[in-house]
Amino acid sequence: MSSLETFARTTLADLDAKALRRHLVETARGPEAAATREGRALVSFSCNDYLGLANDPRVIAAGQAALARYGAGAGASRLVTGNHPPLAALEARLAAHKGTAAALVFGSGYLANLGIVPALAGAGDLVLVDALGHSCLFAGAQLSGATRLRFRHNDCDHLRTILAARRARHERVLILTERVFSMDGDRAPLSEILNLAAEYDAWTLVDDAHGLGVVEPQARAPLEMGTLSKTLGSYGGYLCASRAVVDLMTSRARSFVYTTGLPPASVAAALAALDIVESEPDRAARPLGLARRFTARLGLPEAQSPIVPILVGEAGAALALSAALEARGFLAVAIRPPTVPAGTARLRVAFSAAHTEAQVDGLAEAILALRHAGA
Ligand SMILES: *Cc1c(COP(=O)(O)O)cnc(C)c1O
């Protein structure tokens, strides 16, 4: 056997032994939070499509119209010939939604952070990342070549201590956090972070992947990035910022410059979804309301977002709980390290405007019954 084959197989065997191997499961999603897996019809509590817009007929029609009019792909980087008309329309709307002067659409949220952070910070600078920040925040920080430090999750005292000790040694300081944390569903104390940033002349980037359209923002950061692939039901990423910052990204963010523009259909679909977010506030309020109904039923702390973690601990136990729920018709995928810290494997339950109250109550009752049975 070649050394490559041996490496792949021994690494997989090691992951298997720790219940950390990942498998793809074909999943056909549909309206009303439906997901079909291995021939089984399930109600999904594992999608980030918080308003059910990926299957909304208006969003689909907008994507289809753009596909027919502008073709399947952008054909080149946006700086060459890939800057098709739906992009400017979406950017103007994203900027207006966030109250910034400008916006820039990237290939994905992950790519956005890989481009934004290195365009703002480099060797000699300091990047401070919340310890529970998303993988792409750490990846962007690493790619920048700046000194990287993590501050304790949502801990402004720790952040202040680091800033007080280190600020003078670095020319530029960037703070990276999330409006709603992707695996815990809690929110950053953004106003306090922005005050600290002002005091120490640091720049704050907030990743709004899970906040846009579903939680009321406490404050706005000068750098607001996010994704088109969660609440907006499509695919892509964005940055909302000042005109100068966006213009700088257009020239300097490598993950913007050296990659093909998004397909017109994805952009037009996201724009149609943003229309719905803005024009249907009752729909936008629904996921958080359902999450709170669920936390009340289970006696958990009140949900701060549509994401509710059910902490289990060990990876194998989280997989077993997920399988037991799946047997009852509920899809709640287990989240294991390294996505979450070791010993904090969990089910991450995500609520959508597409869920009914009865579905939410059904999931809560199934979890209570399994707990009662000692599972
Ligand atoms: C999903 C996610 C991203 C990545 O967005 P994609 O568009 O899926 O690449 C970035 N940050 C956070 C916090 C996320 O949850």
Side-chain angles (χ1 to χ4, degrees), residues 32-348:
E32 287 155 21
T36 306
R37 295 187 130 194
E38 291 163 343
R40 191 187 278 156
L42 301 165
V43 180
S44 176
F45 286 92
S46 288
C47 302
N48 298 320
D49 179 15
Y50 299 113
L51 300 183
L53 295 178
N55 281 286
D56 188 283
R58 295 163 288 180
V59 173
I60 293 170
Q64 284 171 330
L67 180 65
R69 177 147 185 214
Y70 301 109
S77 162
R78 292 185 58 187
L79 291 168
V80 183
T81 57
N83 196 37
H84 52 74
L87 281 162
L90 177 60
E91 286 170 348
R93 288 294 306 285
L94 283 168
H97 185 82
K98 292 270 189 176
T100 58
L104 191 67
V105 166
F106 286 76
S108 74
Y110 204 108
L111 282 173
N113 280 331
L114 291 190
I116 295 163
V117 181
L120 295 174
D125 298 327
L126 177 64
V127 180
L128 303 173
V129 193
D130 185 284
L132 294 186
H134 191 270
S135 160
C136 61
L137 293 172
F138 287 99
Q142 186 169 12
L143 208 54
S144 76
T147 302
R148 303 180 308 275
L149 291 174
R150 54 180 76 201
F151 57 94
R152 286 196 289 272
H153 176 55
N154 281 348
D155 186 338
C156 288
D157 291 333
H158 191 215
L159 183 58
R160 175 185 287 283
T161 304
I162 296 174
L163 285 166
R166 309 281 306 223
R167 179 64 189 95
R169 283 190 247 168
H170 302 276
E171 189 181 343
R172 293 183 287 264
V173 178
L174 203 48
I175 299 169
L176 310 182
T177 188
E178 297 179 22
R179 177 157 283 115
V180 170
F181 282 84
S182 60
M183 295 298 140
D184 292 76
D186 57 342
R187 301 194 206 178
L190 196 55
S191 303
E192 280 175 81
I193 290 175
L194 290 172
N195 287 341
L196 271 178
E199 193 178 329
Y200 287 93
D201 186 26
W203 307 335
T204 306
L205 177 147
V206 64
D207 183 330
D208 198 24
H210 298 277
L212 179 79
V214 289
V215 301
E216 222 26 78
Q218 183 194 35
R220 292 285 190 204
L223 301 159
E224 291 260 346
M225 68 73 57
T227 178
L228 310 179
S229 57
K230 287 167 182 160
T231 289
L232 298 182
S234 180
Y235 192 71
Y238 66 84
L239 171 69
C240 290
S242 71
R243 182 82 255 165
V245 167
V246 162
D247 287 350
L248 176 65
M249 293 302 152
T250 307
S251 290
R252 295 288 291 279
R254 280 169 286 167
S255 62
F256 176 83
V257 175
Y258 299 107
T259 190
T260 302
L262 277 178
S266 304
V267 177
L271 182 52
L274 189 55
D275 279 339
I276 297 171
V277 167
E278 290 182 350
S279 63
E280 298 184 7
D282 290 351
R283 177 195 287 259
R286 201 169 150 76
L288 180 56
L290 292 174
R292 290 188 165 154
R293 181 183 179 98
F294 178 79
T295 50
R297 290 224 157 200
L298 285 190
L300 295 169
E302 184 178 63
Q304 295 178 42
S305 75
I307 302 165
V308 177
I310 310 223
L311 283 172
V312 176
E314 292 314 311
L319 288 173
L321 179 57
S322 176
L325 287 171
E326 196 167 325
R328 288 162 175 76
F330 300 108
L331 180 58
V333 173
I335 309 287
R336 294 169 278 164
T339 307
V340 291
T344 71
R346 66 194 66 183
L347 302 189
R348 172 188 180 277

